[in-house]
């Protein structure tokens, strides 16, 4: 039995766990303000908020309901556009009306819901408001009017001055009054996603965030037996043990972005993670899902290949460990059995003597897959590279650790000539193909330029002009 709060009402349903939340909202509860757009998590028209208690605090995140299994709503508060309505227009809706930001109106509910989540977040700067809607793609253009509405909303949020976010939102006509009761109602729920009975049998599909599986199989997976991994306690959490960072398989991109461990050891973390899809997808997409997907351009996979991450696989009884660099046997072929899933991922954190960088080029800045992406991790001593790891995506059939290129750097001193030599070695090591993301020639050019970008970023004293013409 799946139980949750939908807007103000408590819901119980025996529908299959893999049923899409979007379909439940529209077709079973007739809440048609949540729109069907792309069904691939690209447009944001189906955005909802999911609220849950974490460490005693009520936290809301935006999700694309077209990719969210109904079972992932268990024990949570699901908010649709109908759930943020008040008498008349709420403050966000009024700001959109005042600034002419509604366009044709089809995508507007998703914008309003995303901004409702922004208004009860800790960070309510204007830029955070813009980030909150980076997964809401309005096809009518006119984004300046939307930006003006967000600026007006952010100005209002600047008046909060430490007041409880939900109380402030209710008092200022941003959210309806029932939001004040949700924390207590969720705390009283004796619910746990771990309490949903697991499926049995060899045909069970493992589903975490669903951001890849539902794009590929949304017509079939809803009726398939699924084992939900997203909220399992043992598959969540990020913690440091010595110099080792250990992550549960269901850790999301947002979890990484908000992690004190990552923030401490990766000073440019926001720069890297903002290149990974959109806010809604970052709230849903898990690290293990990115790895299991086996996409040659998976952003997190490339990130962690450079850090020599290790995987702990489990079949529910037995566990084994394998290096991420050895996990891919061919295109979409993994060194795992059908009943195994990733339980944990761990890696050695960068030290004060090491440098790390991640680069990506895609057709759009947000919500797009890479044409080419790459990461580098260098250990430096007395201006000499002691150890190096270079990874790249989009340049072969699998996410690639460039062994020859990495070995080439070891023992070398940083110079424009070294970088030029590295680019030449990398070109010999890759085998890109022409596809929708670009021609093979273009991808070779991109990798060369991104390798140079690594060194421009990490070593500002380098002769940039000489480096970029090398």
């Amino acid at each position: 039995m799946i139980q949750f709060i939908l807007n103000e009402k408590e819901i119980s349903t025996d529908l299959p766990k893999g049923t899409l939340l979007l379909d439940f909202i529209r077709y079973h509860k007739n809440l048609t303000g949540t729109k069907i757009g792309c069904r691939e998590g690209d447009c944001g028209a189906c955005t909802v908020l999911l609220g849950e208690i974490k460490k005693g605090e009520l936290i809301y995140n935006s999700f694309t309901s077209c990719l969210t299994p109904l079972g992932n709503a268990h024990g949570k508060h699901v908010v649709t556009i109908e759930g943020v309505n008040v008498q008349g227009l709420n403050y966000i809706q009024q700001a959109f009306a005042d600034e002419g930001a509604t366009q044709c109106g089809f995508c507007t509910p998703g914008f309003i819901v995303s901004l409702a989540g922004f208004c009860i977040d800790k960070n309510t700067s204007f830029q955070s408001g813009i980030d909150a809607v980076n997964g809401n793609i309005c096809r009518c253009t006119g984004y300046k009017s939307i930006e003006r509405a967000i600026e007006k909303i952010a100005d209002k949020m600047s008046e909060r001055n430490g007041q409880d976010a939900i109380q402030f939102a209710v008092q200022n006509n941003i959210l309806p009054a029932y939001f004040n009761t949700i924390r207590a109602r969720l705390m009283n729920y004796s619910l746990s996603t771990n309490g949903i009975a697991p499926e049995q049998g060899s045909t069970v599909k493992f589903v975490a965030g669903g951001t890849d599986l539902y794009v590929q199989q949304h017509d079939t997976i809803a009726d398939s037996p699924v084992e939900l991994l997203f909220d399992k306690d043992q598959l969540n959490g990020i913690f440091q043990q010595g110099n080792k960072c250990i992550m549960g398989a269901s850790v999301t991109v947002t979890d990484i972005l908000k992690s004190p461990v990552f923030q401490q050891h990766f000073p440019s973390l926001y720069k890297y993670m903002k290149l990974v899809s959109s806010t809604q997808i970052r709230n849903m997409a898990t690290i293990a899902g990115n790895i299991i997907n086996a996409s040659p351009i998976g952003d997190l996979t490339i990130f962690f290949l450079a850090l020599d991450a290790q995987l702990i696989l489990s079949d529910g009884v037995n566990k084994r460990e394998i290096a991420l660099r050895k996990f891919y046997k061919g295109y979409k072929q993994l060194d795992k059995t059908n009943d195994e899933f990733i339980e944990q991922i761990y890696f050695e954190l960068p030290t004060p003597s090491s440098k790390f960088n991640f680069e990506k080029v895609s057709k759009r800045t947000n919500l797009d897959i890479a044409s080419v992406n790459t990461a580098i991790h260098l250990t430096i001593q007395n201006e000499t590279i002691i150890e190096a790891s270079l990874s790249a995506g989009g340049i072969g059939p699998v996410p690639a650790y460039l062994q020859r290129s990495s070995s080439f750097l070891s023992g070398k001193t940083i110079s424009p000539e070294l970088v030029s030599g590295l680019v030449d070695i990398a070109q010999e090591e890759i085998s890109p193909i022409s596809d929708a993301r670009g021609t093979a020639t273009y991808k070779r050019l991109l990798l060369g330029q991104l390798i140079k970008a690594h060194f421009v970023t990490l070593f500002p004293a380098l002769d940039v002009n000489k480096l970029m013409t090398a």
Side-chain angles (χ1 to χ4, degrees):
M1 180 70 71
I2 300 170
Q3 296 175 280
F4 58 96
I5 301 172
L6 176 58
N7 297 327
E8 196 170 358
K9 297 180 179 179
E10 296 195 12
I11 299 295
S12 296
T13 176
D14 288 322
L15 285 171
K17 295 181 293 185
T19 302
L20 281 168
L21 180 58
L22 172 62
D23 292 339
F24 179 81
I25 289 168
R26 287 183 58 87
Y27 302 135
H28 293 269
K29 293 303 172 183
N30 297 313
L31 298 173
T32 54
T34 303
K35 303 303 183 185
I36 296 175
C38 63
R39 278 197 181 270
E40 294 186 352
D42 278 345
C43 71
C46 70
T47 300
V48 297
L49 298 181
L50 262 65
E52 60 182 313
I53 304 294
K54 288 188 174 182
K55 298 180 179 179
E57 186 177 1
L58 177 56
I59 303 293
Y60 285 91
N61 284 306
S62 56
F63 279 57
T64 54
S65 59
C66 71
L67 301 179
T68 301
L70 182 62
N72 279 0
H74 184 65
K76 299 175 184 176
H77 180 211
V78 178
V79 184
T80 69
I81 184 63
E82 293 86 354
V84 300
N85 285 337
V86 298
Q87 189 69 30
L89 297 180
N90 72 26
Y91 191 90
I92 303 168
Q93 294 164 336
Q94 189 64 57
F96 266 59
D98 291 345
E99 299 300 335
T102 56
Q103 310 303 319
C104 80
F106 186 86
C107 297
T108 302
F111 278 93
I112 301 300
V113 172
S114 290
L115 288 168
F118 158 72
C119 287
I120 49 178
D121 195 12
K122 291 180 179 179
N123 189 344
T124 55
S125 67
F126 170 69
Q127 184 56 53
S128 295
I130 296 296
D131 288 347
V133 298
N134 58 26
N136 296 92
I137 309 298
C138 175
R139 266 64 178 183
C140 301
T141 69
Y143 276 95
K144 284 302 176 184
S145 59
I146 295 173
E147 289 179 4
R148 290 195 302 270
I150 294 173
E151 185 174 16
K152 187 173 183 178
I153 296 163
D155 287 344
K156 183 66 175 179
M157 299 314 299
S158 67
E159 301 172 10
R160 197 162 73 189
N161 293 326
Q163 184 179 350
D164 177 81
I166 290 177
Q167 288 182 2
F168 178 86
V170 170
Q171 290 173 6
N172 287 273
N173 207 41
I174 296 168
L175 294 176
Y178 81 83
F179 266 80
N180 281 328
T181 71
I182 294 298
R183 184 180 182 279
R185 292 171 67 184
L186 289 181
M187 291 292 285
N188 286 334
Y189 260 170
S190 57
L191 300 176
S192 166
T193 302
N194 290 329
I196 298 180
E199 301 282 357
Q200 303 293 328
S202 59
T203 61
V204 171
K205 295 179 181 291
F206 293 116
V207 179
T211 56
D212 176 61
L213 281 175
Y214 281 105
V215 171
Q216 299 181 36
Q217 307 174 33
H218 84 267
D219 288 331
T220 59
I221 198 171
D223 297 319
S224 302
V226 297
E227 178 68 11
L228 299 178
L229 306 178
F230 189 75
D231 290 305
K232 287 187 178 293
D233 292 339
Q234 67 270 31
L235 300 182
N236 275 282
I238 301 173
F239 60 95
Q240 184 173 349
Q241 187 178 84
N243 196 47
K244 183 186 296 183
C245 178
I246 303 173
M247 301 173 288
S250 292
V251 161
T252 65
V253 184
T254 295
D255 291 333
I256 291 173
L257 190 55
K258 293 183 177 181
S259 164
V261 176
F262 274 87
Q263 290 173 357
Q264 178 184 348
H265 290 87
F266 297 90
S268 299
L269 183 66
Y270 175 75
K271 169 192 166 186
Y272 307 147
M273 292 300 134
K274 75 174 183 179
L275 298 175
V276 180
S277 195
S278 67
T279 295
Q280 289 98 317
I281 300 300
R282 288 196 289 265
N283 291 337
M284 303 163 61
T286 65
I287 178 174
N290 196 261
I291 291 170
I292 291 292
N293 172 271
S295 167
I297 46 178
D299 293 319
L300 292 184
T301 305
I302 298 306
F303 188 96
F304 288 109
L305 273 171
L307 294 165
D308 195 16
Q310 308 295 306
L311 311 179
I312 306 296
L313 300 178
S314 173
D315 61 7
V317 177
N318 301 304
K319 299 180 183 182
R320 66 184 177 95
E321 183 174 324
I322 185 172
L324 178 58
R325 293 173 182 177
K326 297 181 179 179
F327 193 52
Y328 301 106
K329 297 161 44 175
Y331 179 71
K332 296 287 185 175
Q333 296 178 352
L334 308 175
D335 187 352
K336 69 177 284 294
T337 62
N338 289 336
D339 56 354
E340 284 183 318
F341 58 91
I342 298 176
E343 186 172 274
Q344 286 186 330
I345 302 99
Y346 74 87
F347 64 97
E348 294 291 326
L349 289 160
T351 65
S353 63
S354 65
K355 294 179 179 291
F356 178 88
N357 192 48
F358 174 78
E359 298 284 348
K360 172 182 176 178
V361 169
S362 55
K363 291 186 176 181
R364 294 195 305 259
T365 301
N366 296 110
L367 198 61
D368 204 2
I369 58 176
S371 295
V372 173
N373 50 13
T374 173
I376 194 168
H377 184 213
L378 303 173
T379 301
I380 310 292
Q381 189 174 46
N382 297 326
E383 299 185 358
T384 298
I385 300 174
I386 304 302
E387 190 174 358
S389 297
L390 178 66
S391 61
I395 46 74
V398 299
Y401 167 62
L402 302 181
Q403 175 68 59
R404 286 180 56 202
S405 301
S406 301
S407 297
F408 170 78
L409 289 172
S410 183
K412 305 290 199 314
T413 301
I414 303 297
S415 68
E417 291 74 22
L418 174 68
V419 179
S420 178
L422 173 61
V423 170
D424 291 341
I425 295 291
Q427 294 296 333
E428 296 174 3
E429 199 171 358
I430 64 176
S431 55
I433 61 171
S434 298
D435 58 19
R437 311 310 301 174
T439 65
T441 301
Y442 174 64
K443 292 175 184 178
R444 286 184 178 277
L445 173 64
L446 279 184
L447 181 61
Q449 295 300 91
L450 292 181
I451 287 174
K452 293 176 181 178
H454 284 318
F455 285 86
V456 169
T457 300
L458 296 176
F459 303 97
L462 276 176
D463 186 336
V464 175
N465 291 328
K466 187 174 182 180
L467 178 62
M468 298 310 291
T469 56

